[in-house]
Amino acid sequence: MDEFNLHLTGDIHAITAANNLLAAQIDARRFHEATQSDTALYGRLVPTSKSGQRQFSNIQLARLQVTLSFESIQCQR
């Protein structure tokens, strides 16, 4: 197979940019998880409604359901 040069197509720049973006996202998440208490994080993820109660949104509940079903599959192995 002929040698493939990534510089000719510009793909190397796209790969580098995607890698840097992913690294920045992981770094930011680790920083925020390490510097926040669970109470503060919960307060940001589940804001108080107009009635003064905290309640998960439908999207959060759906994600939680998927996560719990995935974890139960992993535990059965």
Side-chain angles (χ1 to χ4, degrees):
M1 184 172 182
D2 294 337
E3 185 178 339
F4 184 70
N5 188 349
L6 291 175
H7 291 285
L8 292 176
T9 60
D11 287 343
I12 193 70
H13 174 69
I15 292 169
T16 303
N19 183 53
N20 290 341
L21 183 63
L22 180 62
Q25 182 182 13
I26 291 170
D27 187 43
R29 180 171 179 166
R30 290 184 68 196
F31 172 76
H32 287 294
E33 287 179 352
T35 58
Q36 291 183 17
S37 67
D38 289 341
T39 305
L41 188 59
Y42 178 74
R44 287 180 179 85
L45 290 175
V46 187
T48 307
S49 65
K50 292 180 182 179
S51 63
Q53 294 182 340
R54 294 188 183 274
Q55 183 173 327
F56 286 106
S57 68
N58 292 334
I59 294 172
Q60 289 172 321
L61 291 173
R63 283 184 161 187
L64 183 61
Q65 186 68 30
V66 169
T67 302
L68 292 177
S69 64
F70 179 74
E71 287 178 357
S72 68
I73 291 171
Q74 293 296 325
C75 291
Q76 292 175 0
R77 289 184 180 182

